Amino acid sequence: MEKQRKDGEVEAVPVVIGGMVLDIQATSSIPPHPRTTCPGQVQGGVARNIAECMTKLGAQPFMISALGFDMPGHFL
């Protein structure tokens, strides 16, 4: 895939194709306390993880994936 920059040059854009699986693994934003709730993050899917890492390195990847019409699909 290509994208035209403001200066008229054309640059390649990485395309990531794959899954965005909802992992059951989560990370707490604060120290957890028994029998309470706490904010955190749930991340998953190999392709989604790769696209996120590429973004953190300064790239702007274009991701193609399939989503279901269920709770995990709406969450992602």
Side-chain angles (χ1 to χ4, degrees), residues 19-70:
M20 295 196 319
V21 178
L22 181 64
D23 292 343
I24 304 302
Q25 200 170 30
T27 305
S28 175
S29 300
I30 61 173
H33 298 285
R35 294 175 295 283
T36 64
T37 61
C38 61
Q41 293 181 339
V42 178
Q43 299 178 349
V46 174
R48 196 206 63 78
N49 288 340
I50 290 171
E52 180 181 347
C53 290
M54 292 174 76
T55 301
K56 289 179 179 178
L57 292 171
Q60 293 181 333
F62 182 82
M63 184 166 177
I64 300 172
S65 186
L67 287 174
F69 290 110
D70 55 1

Side-chain angles (χ1 to χ4, degrees), residues 1-22:
M1 186 171 177
E2 294 178 338
K3 179 175 79 172
Q4 189 166 3
R5 297 187 321 207
K6 292 179 183 177
D7 63 4
E9 294 290 321
V10 176
E11 67 179 334
V13 176
V15 177
V16 181
I17 303 171
M20 295 196 319
V21 178
L22 181 64

